[in-house]
Amino acid sequence: MAQHAILRFEKRKAGPAGALEAHHERTKEQYASNPDIDTSRSRDNFHIIRPTQKYRREIDSRIKAAGCRTRKDSTMFVDTLITASPEFFTGRSRREMQAYFTEAAAFMERKVGRGNIFSAVVHMDEKTPHLHLCFTPITKDRRLSAKEILGNRAQLSKWQDEFHAHMSKAFPALQRGESALVTKRKHIPTWLFKQSIDLTRQQRAIEKAISEIGVLNAGKKRDEVLELVGPYFSRLEQHLGQMQKYQATIDYLTQENKGLHKQVNSEKSIQKQMEVLMLKKENEQLRRFVNSIPPEIRQALREQQRGQRHPKDYQR
């Protein structure tokens, strides 16, 4: 499975600061709205940067000290979510996870300035570890401007490029994520969902045909299977290749934590969440199916595909 570093920004006015503080800093004994939190493990959470006062005071004091002018609709702070594909954390020690989030915080310090960051806390008490880092978007010339710091779509893509470059030095297993993950999900085309459903339905018939290959009928049956599976296998490999373009988006949208799900509810409906989750499961199943095909059959299928290509396919 591909492993992606995930970086996302949420622009905030001052109003939600108290509610976010209660969640980020775990100031309540129970979280009925987020049963994913295991409070018995909250002692494992840790700060990279600990706030020195209430979030609202942290925000107000920084803006006042910089002499920033504000408007009613100004973005007063940015809530940054940093995590990775769930598979990335599997089998990693606490020290390795600490190193991952420390590197991520160092990247953010370089990008937005240490003085702007007022909290960076890692949650280890949910299914997928993640970092919440909050900062005031104050520019070097002492203006409050989230637009200038975060930028437009092209600049957000650059953010993702730089984040991946920074994190992959220490963690080479990480792959470059989709740039659209920084603020909004990249649209997953409808045809990809339909294509996945169609391939999954055909999979059962293909599996049955492959299972019927035995010692006594190996030669004849093998040729029949190759004829049957060939077109399907070609479509399947093409589909899985297309899926890679959207894998980082799917990883993000199917984060295991219910708390993280809530942060993307404004971007899509619950129904769409379920559709994306089903897409992920179907394609994990299809990948397992490809791996279950006997190596000699897989090799024969790929040779068959190469033999069917037109000579122009090889011209550059």
Side-chain angles (χ1 to χ4, degrees):
M1 292 292 293
Q3 298 179 4
H4 300 279
I6 294 172
L7 169 70
R8 180 177 182 271
F9 301 122
E10 188 75 29
K11 298 177 183 179
R12 299 283 190 178
K13 297 183 175 64
L20 281 174
E21 179 180 0
H23 172 76
H24 292 0
E25 305 298 327
R26 296 296 195 253
T27 60
K28 298 191 295 185
E29 293 183 2
Q30 292 184 330
Y31 296 85
S33 62
N34 186 4
D36 214 37
I37 297 173
D38 181 355
T39 54
S40 68
R41 293 166 49 207
S42 294
R43 62 179 179 274
D44 296 328
N45 296 346
F46 61 92
H47 281 85
I48 297 173
I49 297 173
R50 188 182 295 274
T52 58
Q53 52 189 334
K54 295 289 186 180
Y55 277 20
R56 183 60 186 269
R57 291 177 183 171
E58 293 274 13
I59 295 163
D60 290 343
S61 63
R62 281 167 171 74
I63 291 174
K64 184 178 179 180
C68 298
R69 297 172 61 184
T70 63
R71 300 188 310 270
K72 187 176 181 179
D73 62 345
S74 292
T75 294
M76 304 295 278
F77 72 106
V78 178
D79 182 19
T80 310
L81 171 70
I82 295 175
T83 182
S85 307
E87 295 80 11
F88 172 78
F89 296 108
T90 302
R92 292 192 180 274
S93 67
R94 178 179 173 83
R95 179 175 294 181
E96 288 177 309
M97 294 185 195
Q98 287 177 329
Y100 176 79
F101 291 115
T102 299
E103 283 294 337
F107 169 80
M108 290 300 299
E109 286 186 28
R110 177 170 61 82
K111 290 289 290 182
V112 306
R114 172 64 180 85
N116 279 334
I117 301 172
F118 57 86
S119 178
V121 59
V122 176
H123 289 168
M124 302 288 287
D125 55 2
E126 298 182 59
K127 289 181 181 177
T128 303
H130 56 279
L131 165 66
H132 285 289
L133 183 147
C134 295
F135 68 91
T136 48
I138 300 174
T139 64
K140 292 180 179 179
D141 58 355
R142 304 171 80 82
R143 289 178 296 109
L144 187 68
S145 179
K147 182 178 180 180
E148 182 166 322
I149 290 177
L150 299 181
N152 57 23
R153 183 172 292 274
Q155 289 168 310
L156 289 171
S157 182
K158 186 178 179 182
W159 265 93
Q160 192 74 6
D161 287 335
E162 292 181 5
F163 181 59
H164 172 260
H166 181 93
M167 299 304 294
S168 62
K169 287 179 182 178
F171 300 93
L174 291 170
Q175 295 184 21
R176 163 69 160 83
E178 292 286 339
S179 61
L181 289 177
V182 182
T183 51
K184 294 182 179 179
R185 70 181 179 90
K186 181 174 181 178
H187 174 66
I188 301 173
T190 302
W191 61 262
L192 198 60
F193 288 91
K194 293 179 179 179
Q195 185 171 270
S196 178
I197 292 170
D198 184 45
L199 288 167
T200 303
R201 284 174 180 166
Q202 293 183 55
Q203 179 188 330
R204 296 192 184 98
I206 301 297
E207 284 180 317
K208 184 176 184 298
I210 291 176
S211 69
E212 291 175 353
I213 299 178
V215 175
L216 298 178
N217 65 356
K220 181 179 179 182
K221 198 68 180 180
R222 178 177 176 277
D223 292 340
E224 291 178 5
V225 168
L226 289 177
E227 185 177 351
L228 171 68
V229 179
Y232 172 83
F233 187 76
S234 177
R235 289 177 56 220
L236 176 58
E237 289 214 312
Q238 183 180 20
H239 171 76
L240 293 177
Q242 291 165 334
M243 280 291 300
Q244 287 299 317
K245 292 169 55 180
Y246 301 94
Q247 192 59 51
T249 304
I250 292 167
D251 285 343
Y252 172 66
L253 294 177
T254 56
Q255 282 292 322
E256 292 177 295
N257 298 12
K258 291 183 177 65
L260 300 187
H261 280 161
K262 289 181 180 180
Q263 297 195 22
V264 296
N265 277 346
S266 60
E267 300 170 13
K268 57 184 175 51
S269 66
I270 297 298
Q271 180 181 354
K272 183 58 70 175
Q273 288 186 27
M274 297 306 295
E275 289 174 355
V276 174
L277 182 60
M278 183 58 67
L279 178 67
K280 181 176 183 178
K281 289 182 177 179
E282 286 171 349
N283 284 276
E284 287 173 349
Q285 178 182 325
L286 290 170
R287 288 190 187 95
R288 286 195 296 270
F289 171 58
V290 170
N291 292 332
S292 73
I293 297 175
E296 64 275 13
I297 299 294
R298 255 184 290 164
Q299 181 62 29
L301 286 167
R302 289 186 175 123
E303 288 176 358
Q304 185 183 73
Q305 288 177 29
R306 286 195 291 269
Q308 291 174 350
R309 287 175 185 162
H310 193 278
K312 287 184 179 180
D313 292 341
Y314 298 95
Q315 294 177 7
R316 297 295 180 188

